[in-house]
């Protein structure tokens, strides 16, 4: 039953508004591989369970502002727990399921959550770590396990007086991936999450008639906030999958209208037979979290007739830019700043705003931006300017037509002795265009003479052999000498994290001794 007191909870009120009076409408349909039954959770059932979770959390001592850390498999219960936590005035803190026990230990001592919810398979592993970090309540979401949080939920009433929360109160903390240095907890307010999802829902035209393929992880901003919050706010249905499975997605597409994915989803789906027919009912494909190759965009369009809509965002800011819903979706760009979001390109040296086509550091300001890093005031002051602009660390430019281009991460910039800056993306685009090349990653590695040297890691297309020399000569006449790779390595695949991002830190580590004496 809808409790009118949701009205005082900034985010939950907005997540519930579209489904009010539509309790029978489907929200989550189990669409995991091989699930023929496709059990459906309605909006009424979902919010009733979220209220039960809220009651269970309060019964375990949750106070407004307390963190609930969750490192668990992707399930409907985890989403109910997310909404229940926010409803109870808590702060939801999901953790990447790939984190090891020592990594989890850092998050627990940093965030000091009231409760840790974990995978039953990790319970014995994490119990001592939680105890050491002073977290005494450690539970699972296993429905069949006595004493689990799910059983505690089921014992509670589905009626909860939502705790009043203001726009600026925290709803979630998401830790940044932290490939360099310590991972930081991005504090996300009720209004940062609510406003961004409202904007995206309207921009991408989500309605109650939509059926979204939900195959992204829910410990990350893309699957938790973009996919889930938009669906809730639009009152749409989701075909809910525990992870990416190309076969399950092919089966689901004829019943769906939209999909959100990382670039690797699209690359893998392009290998599936019957893609054109399977996608004929769809209205929208969104890609983000990592760069989508123009080649993937073009091939997808040629086969399906759909132009993938690429957007750009990050843990700290939610979504910043999007290609247009109507109008040209330009491959290789991330589109325009979203309504209400300001984006500028700043000189890395002087901080002054650069002109069209000039490359610099992207800075963003808007209601979508986070409130700072958890317990790291110095880091916050370094990256979040007093005028509200957040220094993203991404390098990019705005072209003369207003499209934003991402050129790379600041930390991926290669600096060659003599002060020449090399942007990996420029070289990667040229290498990717060579015959027989599937994709590439360009990194800087230590070099005794140059400080750092350009090294290209190249993946050939399936069944095609290419040589390092062919890559080197292929780009030689297109690039200044200092930008040309000093070494080319041919590999079968690039290392990627679960969000599809190429892990350049692993490549730098693997090839760091390439030029040592
Ligand atoms: P995360 O905080 O894990 O979501 O990572 C955010 C980072 O992913 C951004 O700062 C960008 O470097 C990268 N990213 C996200 N979307 C895109 C995109 N469409 N194209 C290129 N890079 C992207």
């Amino acid at each position: 039953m809808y409790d009118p007191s949701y009205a005082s909870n900034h985010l939950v009120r907005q997540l519930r508004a579209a489904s009010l009076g539509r309790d029978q409408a489907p929200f989550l349909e189990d669409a995991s591989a091989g699930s023929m039954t496709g059990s459906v959770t309605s909006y009424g059932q979902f919010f009733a369970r979220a209220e039960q979770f809220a009651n269970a959390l309060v019964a375990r001592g949750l106070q407004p502002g307390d963190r609930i850390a969750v490192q668990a498999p992707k399930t409907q219960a985890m989403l109910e727990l997310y909404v229940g936590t926010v409803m109870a005035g808590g702060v939801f803190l999901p953790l990447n399921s790939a984190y090891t026990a020592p990594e989890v230990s850092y998050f627990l001592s940093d965030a000091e959550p009231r409760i840790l919810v974990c995978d039953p398979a990790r319970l014995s592993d994490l119990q001592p770590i939680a105890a050491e970090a002073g977290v005494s309540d450690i539970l699972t979401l296993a429905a069949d396990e006595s004493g689990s949080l799910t059983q505690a939920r089921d014992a509670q009433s589905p009626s909860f007086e939502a705790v009043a929360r203001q726009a600026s109160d925290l709803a979630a903390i998401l830790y940044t991936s932290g490939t360099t240095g310590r991972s930081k907890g991005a504090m996300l307010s009720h209004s940062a999450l609510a406003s961004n999802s409202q904007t995206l829902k309207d921009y991408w035209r989500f309605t109650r008639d939509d059926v979204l393929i939900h195959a992204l992880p829910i410990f990350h901003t893309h699957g938790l906030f973009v996919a889930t919050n938009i669906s809730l706010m639009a009152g749409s249905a989701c075909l809910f999958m525990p992870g990416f499975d190309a076969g399950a997605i092919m089966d689901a597409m004829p019943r769906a209208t939209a999909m959100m994915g990382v670039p690797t989803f699209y690359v893998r789906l392009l290998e599936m037979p019957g893609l054109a027919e399977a996608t004929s009912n769809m209205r929208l494909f969104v890609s983000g979290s990592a760069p989508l190759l123009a080649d993937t965009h073009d091939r997808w369009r040629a086969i399906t007739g759909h132009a993938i809509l690429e957007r750009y965002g990050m843990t700290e800011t939610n979504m910043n830019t999007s290609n247009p819903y109507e109008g040209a979706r330009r491959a290789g760009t991330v589109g325009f700043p979203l309504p209400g979001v300001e984006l500028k390109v700043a000189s890395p040296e002087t901080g002054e705003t650069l002109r069209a086509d000039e490359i610099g550091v992207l800075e963003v300001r808007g209601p979508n931006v986070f409130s700072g890093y958890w317990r790291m005031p110095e880091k916050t002051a370094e990256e979040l300017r007093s005028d509200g602009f957040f220094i993203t660390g991404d390098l990019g430019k705005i072209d003369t037509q207003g499209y934003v281009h991402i050129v790379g991460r600041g930390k991926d910039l290669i600096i060659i002795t003599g002060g020449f800056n090399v942007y990996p993306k420029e070289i990667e685009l040229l290498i990717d265009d060579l015959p027989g090349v599937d994709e590439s990653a360009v990194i800087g590695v230590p070099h005794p003479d140059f400080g750092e040297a350009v090294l290209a890691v190249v993946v050939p297309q399936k069944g095609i052999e290419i040589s390092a020399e062919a890559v080197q000569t292929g780009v030689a006449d297109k690039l200044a000498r200092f930008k040309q790779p000093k070494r080319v390595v041919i590999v079968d695949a690039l290392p990627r994290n679960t969000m599809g991002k190429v892990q350049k830190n692993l490549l730098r580590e693997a090839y760091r001794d390439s030029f040592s004496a």
Side-chain angles (χ1 to χ4, degrees):
M1 269 295 291
Y2 168 63
D3 182 333
S5 63
Y6 282 6
S8 60
N9 188 296
H10 188 92
L11 176 59
V12 180
R13 179 185 71 231
Q14 297 184 60
L15 296 178
R16 179 58 161 150
S19 62
L20 274 183
R22 297 176 61 238
D23 274 354
Q24 306 306 319
F27 173 39
L28 298 171
E29 179 180 328
D30 175 8
S32 45
S35 112
M36 304 305 282
T37 53
S39 66
V40 177
T41 302
S42 69
Y43 270 95
Q45 287 168 322
F46 180 83
F47 277 95
R49 287 189 203 140
E51 292 192 36
Q52 287 177 292
F53 266 128
N55 272 319
L57 293 173
V58 170
R60 297 191 88 89
L62 178 92
Q63 298 287 324
D66 280 352
R67 280 77 57 209
I68 301 294
V70 184
Q71 189 193 36
K74 180 181 176 183
T75 58
Q76 297 191 14
M78 184 164 159
L79 281 190
E80 294 156 13
L81 178 61
Y82 152 57
V83 175
T85 301
V86 180
M87 209 181 258
V91 177
F92 193 66
L93 196 162
L95 292 170
N96 189 323
S97 37
Y99 284 137
T100 59
E103 285 165 325
V104 173
S105 161
Y106 162 72
F107 296 118
L108 296 184
S109 49
D110 191 51
E112 297 183 313
R114 163 78 54 179
I115 299 174
L116 169 65
V117 176
C118 76
D119 185 344
R122 303 282 305 277
L123 191 59
S124 56
D125 193 19
L126 293 177
Q127 238 150 4
I129 276 160
E132 210 171 291
V135 182
S136 53
D137 215 0
I138 169 164
L139 296 157
T140 75
L141 291 175
D144 53 359
E145 187 188 281
S146 91
S148 73
L149 190 55
T150 315
Q151 292 208 341
R153 171 199 71 184
D154 294 342
Q156 292 288 338
S157 122
S159 171
F160 181 81
E161 180 97 2
V163 172
R165 292 272 93 184
Q166 310 296 317
S168 59
D169 286 326
L170 292 192
I173 293 177
L174 255 62
Y175 277 86
T176 58
S177 47
T179 43
T180 54
R182 263 170 74 188
S183 191
K184 306 180 285 276
M187 299 191 286
L188 297 158
S189 68
H190 276 241
S191 60
L193 299 180
S195 67
N196 197 241
S197 301
Q198 293 284 10
T199 301
L200 293 169
K201 169 186 79 87
D202 294 340
Y203 205 76
W204 295 340
R205 313 269 169 93
F206 271 84
T207 71
R208 59 175 64 174
D209 296 328
D210 274 302
V211 181
L212 175 75
I213 293 180
H214 195 313
L216 290 162
I218 51 175
F219 54 72
H220 186 264
T221 183
H222 198 170
L224 183 60
F225 300 135
V226 184
T228 308
N229 286 357
I230 290 179
S231 301
L232 283 163
M233 284 182 176
S236 326
C238 290
L239 300 177
F240 198 69
M241 306 181 180
F244 176 83
D245 180 303
I249 290 182
M250 291 297 288
D251 290 346
M253 271 193 298
R255 292 183 293 131
T257 62
M259 183 175 87
M260 294 177 191
V262 294
T264 34
F265 281 24
Y266 294 100
V267 172
R268 302 240 199 100
L269 286 168
L270 276 167
E271 292 170 6
M272 301 299 283
L275 189 61
E277 304 76 61
T279 52
S280 62
N281 188 38
M282 298 282 286
R283 71 167 183 91
L284 181 64
F285 291 98
V286 176
S287 176
S289 298
L292 181 78
L293 293 180
D295 174 62
T296 309
H297 187 279
D298 295 345
R299 285 196 292 143
W300 190 270
R301 188 169 206 165
I303 293 176
T304 70
H306 292 283
I308 299 171
L309 183 155
E310 186 169 5
R311 95 307 176 271
Y312 156 65
M314 57 202 308
T315 302
E316 290 94 329
T317 62
N318 298 286
M319 300 305 110
N320 296 312
T321 73
S322 170
N323 267 279
Y325 189 81
E326 273 165 15
R329 299 179 192 167
R330 291 260 182 87
T333 82
V334 293
F336 307 113
L338 287 166
V341 177
E342 292 170 81
L343 183 144
K344 65 181 182 184
V345 183
S347 156
E349 286 87 28
T350 64
E352 77 190 273
T353 305
L354 298 176
R355 289 191 300 265
D357 279 336
E358 290 181 333
I359 293 174
V361 181
L362 301 182
E363 296 191 10
V364 293
R365 177 164 72 180
N368 53 314
V369 172
F370 74 140
S371 319
Y373 292 116
W374 172 257
R375 291 182 178 163
M376 286 187 171
E378 300 85 22
K379 269 275 156 212
T380 304
E382 270 170 35
E383 297 183 25
L384 195 54
R385 293 187 192 281
S386 53
D387 62 3
F389 272 99
F390 174 63
I391 306 166
T392 63
D394 287 315
L395 295 165
K397 65 175 186 180
I398 305 176
D399 67 23
T400 49
Q401 280 151 42
Y403 285 84
V404 177
H405 300 239
I406 312 284
V407 175
R409 286 293 296 168
K411 60 179 184 277
D412 291 337
L413 182 79
I414 299 166
I415 299 151
I416 297 197
T417 327
F420 291 124
N421 289 350
V422 177
Y423 296 103
K425 187 73 179 266
E426 181 189 1
I427 307 167
E428 286 162 5
L429 287 174
L430 285 174
I431 296 178
D432 293 350
D433 265 352
L434 295 175
V437 171
D438 188 17
E439 59 174 346
S440 60
V442 167
I443 53 170
V445 291
H447 188 285
D449 298 332
F450 301 104
E452 274 193 305
V454 178
L455 185 144
V457 186
V458 179
V459 180
Q461 282 165 5
K462 258 205 189 113
I464 297 192
E465 264 192 34
I466 51 171
S467 69
E469 294 70 40
V471 174
Q472 254 153 343
T473 42
V475 297
D477 58 350
K478 301 187 189 92
L479 283 175
R481 191 67 186 238
F482 72 90
K483 294 184 190 170
Q484 293 175 20
K486 294 230 165 355
R487 190 177 161 206
V488 173
V489 187
I490 310 290
V491 298
D492 291 338
L494 297 175
R496 285 197 147 84
N497 70 10
T498 34
M499 296 312 295
K501 289 186 217 295
V502 175
Q503 292 167 301
K504 288 199 168 173
N505 53 326
L506 296 186
L507 292 175
R508 276 193 287 268
E509 200 46 48
Y511 298 110
R512 62 171 301 108
D513 296 328
S514 293
F515 298 99
S516 56

